[in-house]
Amino acid sequence: DVSESKLDSGIDWSDVFKHAHAVSKTNPFWNELSASNPFVHDIAASNRNENNKCLSILKENPCLFSKVSSNRDSLASSGDELDIDCLLRKTSTRRSGRSKSVSDFLDIVDNRRFNPCKTLQKTIVSDMTWFQNDREAYKMAWLSHRQLTRSCLDLEAMSNSPGWAQTQATDIHVVCKLDHEGGSVQLPDSDINIHVPVGHVLPGEFQEVGLKAILNPPSSFNNELSSTVSPLIELRLSNLNTREDIFLEVKVAARVKNDPLSQVMSDIVCFFSLNKEGPFKKLDNCYTYQDTIQVKLTDLSHVMYVVIAVQANKIQPPATNVWDYVHRMVSVGIYGPKYIHPSFTAVFTVFGHNYIPGKLTICDIKKAGKSMPPVVFQLWGKHTFLLEKPQDLNISLVSCDPDFEVKMEDQSKNIKEEQLKTGEMVRQQFLFSMLGCREMHFFVFLVQIKVLKSSQVMQFHVTTPDPAPKLSGIISRPKRLQNRKEIKSAPLFLIPTVKYPKFQDRTLSVNTYGVALKTVLRQNKIDYLLEYFKGDTIALLGEDKVKAIGQTKIKEWYVGVLRKKIGLVHCRNIKVISKEQAMDTADSELTTRNLVEQIALPFKKLTYIYSVVLSTVSESVYDWRALAEVLGYSHMSLDDFNEAHADKESERVAHVVKRMKEDCHANKKKRLFLYELIVALLKIDCQGLVARLTQDTIILTSAVKLGKSWRELAEKLARLTKQQIEAYEVPHQGKNGTITLEMMWKPAYDFLYTWGAHYGDSYRDVLQDLHSALDKMKNPVTKQWRELTGILILVNCMEVLRASAFSKMEEE
């Protein structure tokens, strides 16, 4: 398990567990079970320490502030192509292969695939020395964070480790330690934030803030006159010696309609209690803007509960309940196991709020008519839609792959109007099964939601995760099995081919233009900034603004096209006009081919890790022919692959990428590997993959460019203290206790990687916030290094590229 291995790698347990050897003679299961779970003996003995009742709330969930950097190898390599593929692969070397759990093995496999984003949560560095002297505290922290659940893994694989594999982290909550400077705490993957102002606690004191969402709100708030629009939010504080109040900001699942009656008859209100069950009192210090509410919390306690509801004074016909006064959003999530199997259950879940957690504990799974133990399911897909009033819904799931089907009686299910009114989670289970003895592979299925009393139909597609990876080669087999030859009983079936759209070289379709109000010609040319004469008509690629430093200060810019060149134009220097108002647009025309080649230019100067790029692309592109064609290898056929590359599509894709890498290496002066790869991916519309590669390479290049000045950036971006900065550098120090300038990129990378992971899928925000922070440094690296500016142009041009270069008729 990720959290367990993080803790293991940060603490020397050798002294703490010395007494464990004493029970090995009396416990016949010690070798198999106790060796992998250090708490088995203590739990059996029930040796509770009464002095540990008042634990720090940080100790309740220690893995949330374990540093990611402690889990990485430090390699002394540098250069344009850093071979640090194993940066994220380290597990504890103190445990033998026998006591590693299935979760450990699968995490090793996942890290080899390099998908690090899924192992990160909001983290904060903290002093962990208390673990070494307080074993009881660590044990209770571990137990309170986890609960006994059936692992969503192959049972045969689980038998290799009877200990850790049966437990998984279940609750999603966050704990942060803030000082006199204050700060913000956000619940991961949510719009729930706590803002702590400067001076909330005295200088030298700290405030530990714990935040958790309870999915089912109090039932008393859901009736004809009231409906909850947020989860029940649990807030914990460690220090009540405060000088300033704190603010809770929540984006809720409803907005009061604009008509006068709705505005008068209903309101979004916040309720507060010191107990989970109530009683709740209405708070007056609330500010509401559309669907966002900010609440000032004045009566602070160690534990507090807040819930937000929309309430009506009375129901005036034709209205029948409070829903008629608001635009109410309904959020649904599709959950399933971490890996798919020949037969598995997917769970359709409706929430009475817009918080959709990444994990969900399902307690009512049935197999062969029998109830199964609780299972932690992963979020596979989600969707939000407007529902005018509570109505009966019909849910159907349809497999888009002929190899899989939904069980006949599960194909269509109903959710009643009364269930939606309660505000609680509503779940429906759908059983999928595989047809015949085929090779397991991921697939896509369609989710349809029909409102029975109207013609409203919502639908969205969900892609399942991969099947459980083969554990052979990771779990050490007995020698007699290792010596046997593998016999392939049947040929492997290929992953179904995904049809990529055909790139078309067309003139860009532009809806907005700008007329230059002044002439701008720069004596010192600045990359990615346009030059223009007064009266020039500039095509604007989208209405989004980019924040970037100009000659001296940070300004707001539009992405524009003029005389075949893409660049930024200062917002104040142009008058925005519509397509119909533009007189002469000949100078601002551009083709999609030219657009792709220009917006990818920054990749000619970015640092990258070749092994990571290779594995990421090979796992994310599902048709080697499509990639080969746009890379100029349309002549390639299956005969060009040797036996090692014949089985899997991912291996064929990797072979194509390697071939291109070799050709670029042989012609370094004219061809650049990463640039040509990004152009090719944009031409087959792999924008999600391009976004992921973009964020990875920018973070790595920024770390290399920053060097020791990463410390200044860390203070600006995350308000890291001197001790926290040192904690990032300790793993990379040499034998003399110092870190060389050449190695300084490593703690910088660790920090930026951890910081970027907090944003989830919002890669645009990561790039913009990083650019703004770099611009505000004392000596900004962005004054000379403008590639990040070019990357902001790239991500702001993706929508216009997709709209112009790919035929909608062909996709349909």
Side-chain angles (χ1 to χ4, degrees):
D1 183 273
V2 175
S3 58
E4 185 271 335
S5 61
K6 282 184 187 175
L7 294 171
D8 236 10
S9 61
I11 307 158
D12 183 7
W13 290 102
S14 55
D15 294 330
V16 181
F17 295 141
K18 271 181 181 174
H19 78 282
H21 301 296
V23 298
S24 60
K25 295 178 182 177
T26 58
N27 187 341
F29 302 108
W30 177 256
N31 289 334
E32 286 75 23
L33 187 60
S34 303
S36 66
N37 188 335
F39 303 131
V40 170
H41 173 65
D42 276 11
I43 294 167
S46 299
N47 184 18
R48 299 284 182 268
N49 186 342
E50 294 298 322
N51 297 326
N52 283 328
K53 286 182 178 177
C54 301
L55 294 178
S56 159
I57 62 169
L58 274 174
K59 296 181 185 181
E60 291 184 8
N61 195 1
C63 75
L64 285 174
F65 55 81
S66 302
K67 273 197 326 84
V68 177
S69 60
S70 67
N71 211 23
R72 299 177 178 172
D73 286 334
S74 173
L75 299 184
S77 61
S78 60
D80 184 47
E81 297 163 15
L82 297 166
D83 187 17
I84 50 175
D85 192 26
C86 56
L87 198 66
L88 296 158
R89 261 194 276 156
K90 185 180 177 188
T91 53
S92 174
T93 54
R94 296 185 194 93
R95 278 185 290 139
S96 67
R98 179 162 189 160
S99 64
K100 279 191 175 72
S101 72
V102 174
S103 301
D104 288 332
F105 290 128
L106 294 179
D107 286 330
I108 295 169
V109 174
D110 284 343
N111 286 332
R112 283 180 183 168
R113 296 175 175 184
F114 196 75
N115 190 4
C117 294
K118 64 183 171 187
T119 66
L120 290 164
Q121 291 188 19
K122 205 159 186 82
T123 60
I124 189 162
V125 182
S126 180
D127 179 17
M128 298 172 65
T129 53
W130 57 270
F131 269 153
Q132 295 163 4
N133 304 318
D134 197 347
R135 182 171 187 273
E136 187 74 14
Y138 171 51
K139 184 186 72 178
M140 295 310 295
W142 185 88
L143 290 172
S144 68
H145 178 61
R146 309 174 73 85
Q147 78 181 49
L148 196 65
T149 56
R150 183 170 64 87
S151 183
C152 305
L153 307 172
D154 190 283
L155 294 177
E156 185 180 353
M158 272 178 60
S159 66
N160 286 280
S161 174
W164 296 99
Q166 304 239 356
T167 58
Q168 297 175 34
T170 53
D171 284 339
I172 295 179
H173 56 283
V174 65
V175 183
C176 279
K177 189 174 183 178
L178 305 173
D179 59 12
H180 172 73
E181 295 296 319
S184 295
V185 182
Q186 182 181 25
L187 191 69
D189 303 319
S190 79
D191 294 308
I192 301 171
N193 299 271
I194 289 290
H195 302 294
V196 179
V198 177
H200 170 70
V201 291
L202 293 170
E205 291 192 11
F206 294 92
Q207 178 69 280
E208 293 172 9
V209 180
L211 196 56
K212 177 181 174 182
I214 298 164
L215 298 176
N216 282 331
S219 56
S220 57
F221 287 103
N222 287 283
N223 48 56
E224 297 300 321
L225 291 169
S226 174
S227 178
T228 52
V229 288
S230 81
L232 179 61
I233 300 164
E234 180 184 278
L235 174 63
R236 290 175 177 265
L237 301 177
S238 64
N239 186 356
L240 297 184
N241 183 25
T242 58
R243 297 291 180 272
E244 295 285 339
D245 299 325
I246 64 176
F247 295 87
L248 170 68
E249 185 178 279
V250 184
K251 192 171 182 180
V252 296
R255 184 160 49 91
V256 177
K257 291 179 180 177
N258 288 328
D259 62 273
L261 182 63
S262 298
Q263 292 284 326
V264 171
M265 301 300 289
S266 63
D267 195 14
I268 297 176
V269 290
C270 183
F271 293 93
F272 175 89
S273 176
L274 299 179
N275 296 303
K276 190 175 177 180
E277 293 78 22
F280 287 83
K281 68 173 183 178
K282 183 179 174 181
L283 293 181
D284 297 322
N285 300 320
C286 297
Y287 171 74
T288 306
Y289 175 72
Q290 293 184 346
D291 60 351
T292 300
I293 186 165
Q294 192 175 70
V295 186
K296 186 177 182 180
L297 300 176
T298 53
D299 299 330
L300 300 180
S301 178
H302 284 300
V303 184
M304 294 163 283
Y305 294 90
V306 176
V307 66
I308 296 161
V310 57
Q311 287 200 324
N313 304 323
K314 65 176 184 177
I315 304 300
Q316 185 171 314
T320 56
N321 61 49
V322 69
W323 283 52
D324 292 316
Y325 295 133
V326 294
H327 292 296
R328 179 66 190 264
M329 303 304 293
V330 172
S331 298
V332 299
I334 297 289
Y335 291 85
K338 186 175 182 179
Y339 300 102
I340 60 170
H341 302 294
S343 178
F344 64 87
T345 300
V347 180
F348 178 94
T349 309
V350 181
F351 297 94
H353 41 77
N354 56 7
Y355 173 54
I356 305 177
K359 290 183 180 180
L360 195 64
T361 305
I362 311 292
C363 302
D364 54 354
I365 293 287
K366 291 187 180 295
K367 200 166 186 178
K370 294 182 180 179
S371 296
M372 301 295 290
V375 188
V376 175
F377 272 18
Q378 318 287 320
L379 179 64
W380 285 1
K382 58 185 177 181
H383 187 69
T384 303
F385 61 92
L386 182 72
L387 190 64
E388 288 300 331
K389 56 184 176 181
Q391 298 175 71
D392 293 349
L393 303 178
N394 175 260
I395 316 300
S396 59
L397 268 60
V398 182
S399 173
C400 302
D401 191 301
D403 292 349
F404 293 85
E405 68 171 6
V406 184
K407 195 176 177 183
M408 187 65 72
E409 55 266 35
D410 288 347
Q411 285 178 358
S412 178
K413 298 197 173 187
N414 292 333
I415 292 175
K416 297 293 184 185
E417 174 185 325
E418 289 72 24
Q419 292 175 290
L420 295 178
K421 285 182 180 178
T422 64
E424 294 186 357
M425 270 192 307
V426 184
R427 297 198 296 262
Q428 292 288 0
Q429 296 178 17
F430 295 83
L431 183 65
F432 282 82
S433 58
M434 193 172 174
L435 297 172
C437 299
R438 313 266 173 91
E439 175 72 10
M440 283 292 294
H441 55 77
F442 75 90
F443 66 98
V444 177
F445 60 89
L446 177 70
V447 181
Q448 275 197 335
I449 308 163
K450 297 177 184 175
V451 182
L452 293 180
K453 291 180 183 177
S454 72
S455 57
Q456 188 180 3
V457 178
M458 287 70 60
Q459 63 181 33
F460 60 102
H461 287 88
V462 175
T463 303
T464 71
D466 290 324
K470 300 286 189 293
L471 297 177
S472 56
I474 301 172
I475 298 175
S476 52
R477 301 177 177 184
K479 284 186 178 177
R480 67 178 188 277
L481 294 179
Q482 287 178 346
N483 294 333
R484 287 185 188 174
K485 289 184 178 180
E486 295 272 343
I487 299 172
K488 292 184 180 179
S489 57
L492 294 168
F493 281 80
L494 299 176
I495 292 174
T497 306
V498 174
K499 186 181 180 184
Y500 287 100
K502 188 82 173 172
F503 180 81
Q504 296 174 358
D505 190 13
R506 297 172 173 166
T507 302
L508 285 185
S509 175
V510 178
N511 296 320
T512 312
Y513 290 84
V515 177
L517 301 176
K518 60 190 275 192
T519 297
V520 175
L521 297 171
R522 296 182 178 84
Q523 191 173 356
N524 298 322
K525 306 298 181 189
I526 302 176
D527 290 341
Y528 306 110
L529 301 190
L530 281 181
E531 293 185 318
Y532 40 88
F533 296 99
K534 185 176 180 179
D536 277 342
T537 301
I538 304 168
L540 303 183
L541 305 184
E543 298 176 7
D544 291 338
K545 296 175 183 177
V546 172
K547 288 181 183 175
I549 197 168
Q551 206 84 41
T552 55
K553 62 181 180 179
I554 296 171
K555 303 172 181 176
E556 287 193 328
W557 313 76
Y558 287 117
V559 178
V561 178
L562 184 64
R563 289 181 274 278
K564 308 288 186 214
K565 188 175 185 331
I566 302 172
L568 298 180
V569 53
H570 187 200
C571 294
R572 290 188 182 177
N573 290 350
I574 59 168
K575 180 186 178 183
V576 178
I577 59 174
S578 66
K579 186 177 183 178
E580 292 73 25
Q581 293 171 299
M583 301 289 287
D584 182 12
T585 60
D587 279 349
S588 55
E589 287 183 354
L590 195 75
T591 64
T592 51
R593 181 181 60 81
N594 201 325
L595 174 69
V596 167
E597 290 169 355
Q598 277 201 61
I599 61 179
L601 282 175
F603 288 94
K604 288 187 173 183
K605 297 180 181 179
L606 293 183
T607 306
Y608 61 94
I609 307 165
Y610 171 64
S611 57
V612 171
V613 172
L614 178 66
S615 60
T616 305
V617 173
S618 61
E619 292 294 337
S620 304
V621 175
Y622 304 119
D623 184 0
W624 71 269
R625 292 180 192 275
L627 183 62
E629 189 173 334
V630 290
L631 285 172
Y633 300 121
S634 53
H635 60 276
M636 284 183 72
S637 67
L638 287 173
D639 298 333
D640 294 313
F641 297 98
N642 57 32
E643 192 177 342
H645 299 123
D647 287 347
K648 280 189 175 180
E649 194 75 12
S650 60
E651 289 167 357
R652 292 175 180 176
V653 171
H655 180 73
V656 173
V657 175
K658 287 175 186 173
R659 168 81 177 272
M660 196 263 286
K661 169 69 174 172
E662 290 165 5
D663 291 348
C664 290
H665 192 70
N667 191 4
K668 282 184 179 178
K669 290 184 180 179
K670 291 187 177 179
R671 300 187 65 183
L672 289 160
F673 165 71
L674 189 60
Y675 170 76
E676 292 198 14
L677 179 63
I678 294 295
V679 168
L681 293 174
L682 287 171
K683 284 185 175 180
I684 56 173
D685 201 28
C686 290
Q687 292 196 356
L689 176 56
V690 170
R692 183 173 159 194
L693 291 171
T694 300
Q695 183 169 328
D696 287 350
T697 50
I698 278 293
I699 283 178
L700 182 61
T701 311
S702 301
V704 173
K705 290 283 178 187
L706 280 166
K708 65 180 181 181
S709 56
W710 84 270
R711 298 163 183 165
E712 182 192 345
L713 183 74
E715 289 176 10
K716 287 188 182 301
L717 274 179
R719 293 183 176 176
L720 291 195
T721 63
K722 188 179 178 182
Q723 291 79 10
Q724 290 169 335
I725 290 171
E726 286 173 358
Y728 273 101
E729 294 185 353
V730 166
H732 307 294
Q733 289 174 355
K735 291 181 181 178
N736 59 356
T738 59
I739 183 167
T740 62
L741 198 57
E742 297 79 33
M743 293 298 102
M744 196 60 82
W745 68 268
K746 292 181 177 180
Y749 179 83
D750 288 348
F751 162 71
L752 284 173
Y753 192 90
T754 308
W755 167 79
H758 296 170
Y759 285 77
D761 296 330
S762 305
Y763 66 94
R764 284 194 184 192
D765 295 337
V766 173
L767 298 170
Q768 180 62 80
D769 290 355
L770 177 59
H771 199 304
S772 299
L774 290 171
D775 281 342
K776 289 174 185 174
M777 292 176 70
K778 290 175 185 172
N779 296 304
V781 295
T782 44
K783 276 209 167 183
Q784 294 77 36
W785 176 62
R786 304 296 303 209
E787 273 57 60
L788 184 47
T789 310
I791 288 296
L792 288 178
I793 293 174
L794 162 75
V795 298
N796 278 280
C797 289
M798 282 185 170
E799 288 177 14
V800 70
L801 171 65
R802 177 171 277 170
S804 300
F806 302 103
S807 169
K808 291 181 181 176
M809 291 293 289
E810 187 181 344
E811 287 178 17
E812 289 168 6

